Amino acid sequence: CALRARDSWGIFAFLCAALCNLPAVPALNGTEELGAGQSIQKTYDLTRYLEHQLRTLAGTYLNYLGPPFNEPDFNPPRLARAEQVPSATVDLDLWRGLTDNARLAANYRAYSRLLCYLRGLDGQVGTVELRHRLGHFCSSLQGLVLSIAGVMSSLGYPLPAGPAGPPAPPGAPAAPNDFLKKMDDFWLLKELQTWLWRSAKDFNRLKKKVPPAVVTLRMEARGF
Amino acid sequence: MANPVPSACCVVLAAVVVVYAQRHSQQDSHIQYERVGADVTMKCGSMDWDAAVTWTANGTDIDDSHLNGSYLILKNVDLTQSGQYSCYEGSSWHLKYQTYLRVGVPPKEPVLMCRSNNYPKGFYCSWHLPSPTYIPNSFNISVIHGTREMVCEKDIFPKNRCHIRYLQLFSTVKYKVTLTVTNALGKNSTTLTFDEFAIVKPDPPESVVAKPVPNNPRRLEVSWQNPSSWPDPESFPLKFFLRYRPLILDQWQHVELSDGTSHTITDAYAGKEYIIQVAAKDNDIGTWSDWSVAVHATPWTEEPKHLTTEVQITGETLTQHKHPALRSPGYGGPQH
């Protein structure tokens, strides 16, 4: 699905704020106050926070789905339909060789998509408490998407046009039965968990490779 | 064409030799595996039941009470009854049958462990039997990842260990490892199912060194290195956990360090010997390593000044300096 209107506005507002504040920035005194390094660290911290939140949320949700989904050894084969959810799995050398732009873009696309799917769960879930938790998690996940967007823009990278691949049609291939629907939910949570683990490693690499001085140079080049 | 008659003779002769050798080698290399507590009946080759034979166990004659005709009956065998059993024809003392009896038990469920100490390269699995079987066992390990069967390469040393290289990282599909142990008396198996992230456990930090800090009686400087088995600390940084206590106390103090491979303890008790250990963990996934080898260190202490003693002898005051060589050793220098 496409990003909701308010997400686009959110990003636009963020970018506006960033751009508007640029001339007001005094000659950088070398601190990381506005550096990409700081936002990368913030994004990294967000992924850790979300991973922690997800542990509790997933436990509760899987219990709501009931057995066998909440069994620790549950190890089903992946069905073709599950391929719609973006996978974090990647060849090791390929992962290592990703450019910063590609690395960030992959994260941005994945979480945008995952956020859409998660929001799709929201209306149908059983208990109030679970709905509340899910809602809170979605907000945090949106914060992550915005944070990644912030890092990309501060490094001068264009935001990816939209979720990769063709947007699912409105009556998106709904699961034909209850069990398969639950299976979809199971894989969604699993991919989310794996992506959060992967992002921690992605942002670790970015931390090391992107010094704050990069932003300083760009500012000087623009004559601020 | 060569004369066929001598050729035919050669063929027949060869066949006879082969058959004779086979029968002889069967007698020599026959091994028989039996369970502890079983009843074993040994027949003396092709001899009739009522033939007169003598059985020996490892060269020692076996008493007639164990015989049923020419059959040897061993009831409720135990481990001590393993050995070579031979059957000789009564009068000619001709060896008729020989077997090697090995008493053992079928394998219990093996113990299997898998661990990734070299993430993201791969992982290894190692196994052992909880109790001995007393007879030879063979192990077979299978690793299944989704639909794919992966090959776990056996290590030469240590035995009972194999390793696998990851083909993909950040996998959502679990790994399923099954170990089957088989021997002549039975088989058993165990299975482990795990996520890529769950088994990550580095080796302990290496080269831990603790030194006193000159002129600082409450400080100790500790430094260490990443375990050498961890292939990529740049992309997969480790965090560390330090624990220390004076030898005389039981309670540890802990410090968690998210980066760097050194730390200065600033609250050591002056003059007390400390024991210090460090553990490592991937920053984000898996579990803590075992504790490193313990190092000992004592904080710096001030060297005592020259002692003076005043002695009053009939109105005179003599000041005596203690000879420097008499100062007790071990003060103020670095501890090892």
Side-chain angles (χ1 to χ4, degrees):
Chain A
C1 65
L3 274 184
R4 287 204 198 158
R6 70 162 187 261
D7 291 331
S8 312
W9 274 112
I11 293 169
F12 185 63
F14 180 96
L15 288 172
C16 269
L19 287 164
C20 291
N21 276 319
L22 264 132
V25 171
L28 289 177
N29 57 4
T31 63
E32 290 184 357
E33 290 300 316
L34 295 164
Q38 190 74 348
S39 6
I40 290 173
Q41 179 64 46
K42 195 184 121 214
T43 314
Y44 170 84
D45 292 339
L46 256 175
T47 67
R48 304 291 287 124
Y49 170 68
L50 276 162
E51 192 243 311
H52 195 251
Q53 253 197 306
L54 181 62
R55 263 186 252 161
T56 328
L57 175 63
T60 316
Y61 196 86
L62 291 174
N63 276 331
Y64 159 73
L65 292 180
F69 302 100
N70 58 350
E71 280 159 23
D73 282 351
F74 185 50
N75 188 23
R78 281 205 90 145
L79 306 170
R81 56 184 293 107
E83 302 299 326
Q84 289 169 25
V85 177
S87 178
T89 311
V90 66
D91 173 73
L92 174 57
D93 290 323
L94 207 102
W95 179 80
R96 273 221 175 89
L98 285 173
T99 61
D100 295 345
N101 189 4
R103 198 177 292 278
L104 285 162
N107 274 266
Y108 180 82
R109 276 195 218 101
Y111 288 118
S112 305
R113 205 98 179 264
L114 289 164
L115 184 58
C116 268
Y117 284 119
L118 260 185
R119 283 190 171 133
L121 288 182
D122 201 8
Q124 306 148 27
V125 171
T127 69
V128 171
E129 196 224 335
L130 193 50
R131 271 201 292 273
H132 182 75
R133 282 226 189 133
L134 207 45
H136 181 51
F137 188 83
C138 280
S139 306
S140 308
L141 190 56
Q142 181 171 26
L144 177 61
V145 174
L146 289 175
S147 194
I148 299 171
V151 173
M152 291 187 82
S153 71
S154 75
L155 289 173
Y157 298 134
L159 278 184
N177 65 42
D178 199 41
F179 182 83
L180 285 178
K181 169 78 183 63
K182 290 183 178 180
M183 196 68 124
D184 286 350
D185 294 353
F186 172 83
W187 280 116
L188 174 60
L189 290 172
K190 207 115 215 273
E191 278 303 357
L192 196 40
Q193 183 179 57
T194 313
W195 259 111
L196 288 167
W197 276 327
R198 169 174 161 177
S199 293
K201 299 308 182 202
D202 278 323
F203 285 99
N204 257 325
R205 260 183 107 83
L206 286 163
K207 259 196 276 187
K208 302 259 150 88
K209 290 179 71 198
V210 180
V214 169
V215 178
T216 318
L217 284 168
R218 285 186 200 275
M219 296 216 155
E220 283 165 9
R222 287 186 193 140
F224 287 119
Chain B
M1 206 151 84
N3 195 342
V5 172
S7 307
C9 273
C10 282
V11 168
V12 168
L13 192 60
V16 167
V17 167
V18 165
V19 167
Y20 183 75
Q22 265 189 346
R23 286 191 58 189
H24 230 72
S25 64
Q26 260 180 0
Q27 285 175 346
D28 291 342
S29 62
H30 189 260
I31 302 180
Q32 190 172 347
Y33 295 100
E34 300 288 344
R35 246 175 236 238
V36 168
D39 295 337
V40 181
T41 303
M42 288 191 203
K43 294 188 189 168
C44 187
S46 54
M47 301 287 281
D48 293 332
W49 177 82
D50 53 2
V53 298
T54 312
W55 281 93
T56 65
N58 293 329
T60 314
D61 283 14
I62 298 176
D63 191 73
D64 278 358
S65 60
H66 292 107
L67 264 61
N68 177 0
S70 67
Y71 298 171
L72 176 64
I73 313 287
L74 299 171
K75 285 200 178 294
N76 196 18
V77 291
D78 63 42
L79 296 168
T80 61
Q81 289 173 292
S82 294
Q84 190 173 66
Y85 288 80
S86 312
C87 176
Y88 298 92
E89 189 177 6
S91 43
S92 65
W93 203 250
H94 204 73
L95 177 66
K96 284 295 176 184
Y97 178 74
Q98 197 170 63
T99 185
Y100 202 92
L101 175 69
R102 299 211 46 188
V103 181
V105 291
K108 290 216 171 90
E109 186 176 330
V111 176
L112 176 65
M113 177 272 277
C114 295
R115 183 177 148 219
S116 175
N117 65 341
N118 61 348
Y119 193 73
K121 269 209 185 133
F123 64 91
Y124 73 85
C125 292
S126 76
W127 57 87
H128 66 270
L129 285 171
S131 58
T133 60
Y134 307 101
I135 60 178
N137 307 297
S138 72
F139 296 92
N140 183 37
I141 192 158
S142 88
V143 180
I144 298 177
H145 183 219
T147 51
R148 190 198 278 130
E149 168 128 22
M150 301 175 78
V151 174
C152 195
E153 290 177 40
K154 291 229 165 121
D155 288 339
I156 303 162
F157 187 81
K159 275 187 359 168
N160 292 357
R161 188 160 138 161
C162 69
H163 62 272
I164 273 200
R165 297 195 123 234
Y166 282 132
L167 300 170
Q168 291 182 314
L169 268 197
F170 315 119
S171 179
T172 43
V173 178
K174 289 190 200 242
Y175 289 85
K176 183 168 155 175
V177 182
T178 305
L179 174 75
T180 311
V181 55
T182 311
N183 69 17
L185 299 174
K187 66 200 264 190
N188 213 326
S189 69
T190 187
T191 302
L192 272 185
T193 313
F194 51 83
D195 278 311
E196 176 187 313
F197 304 105
I199 57 164
V200 176
K201 177 178 167 177
D203 286 329
E206 295 171 4
S207 309
V208 184
V209 173
K211 289 199 281 235
V213 180
N215 302 307
N216 279 286
R218 299 205 65 191
R219 289 186 177 218
L220 284 169
E221 210 172 80
V222 191
S223 66
W224 58 89
Q225 280 170 5
N226 287 325
S228 47
S229 52
W230 196 253
D232 192 358
E234 280 290 307
S235 299
F236 296 85
L238 294 169
K239 63 180 176 183
F240 301 98
F241 210 70
L242 192 116
R243 71 175 184 181
Y244 59 97
R245 64 174 172 87
L247 282 182
I248 52 174
L249 293 180
D250 286 330
Q251 189 111 20
W252 292 96
Q253 276 171 276
H254 297 103
V255 182
E256 185 166 328
L257 303 151
S258 47
D259 57 38
T261 53
S262 64
H263 175 72
T264 305
I265 297 167
T266 54
D267 61 350
Y269 293 118
K272 299 285 177 261
E273 185 177 350
Y274 270 77
I275 178 169
I276 298 154
Q277 287 179 298
V278 194
K281 179 182 172 303
D282 176 275
N283 232 342
D284 316 295
I285 59 180
T287 55
W288 286 101
S289 72
D290 292 338
W291 289 108
S292 70
V293 168
V295 292
H296 294 243
T298 308
W300 176 93
T301 49
E302 203 175 320
E303 278 192 15
K305 296 192 174 56
H306 286 228
L307 294 176
T308 62
T309 46
E310 290 187 353
V311 176
Q312 263 186 326
I313 302 175
T314 56
E316 281 188 331
T317 310
L318 285 172
T319 311
Q320 203 176 46
H321 290 272
K322 214 165 185 189
H323 195 282
L326 294 176
R327 253 187 291 134
S328 40
Y331 261 83
Q335 303 292 316
H336 42 263

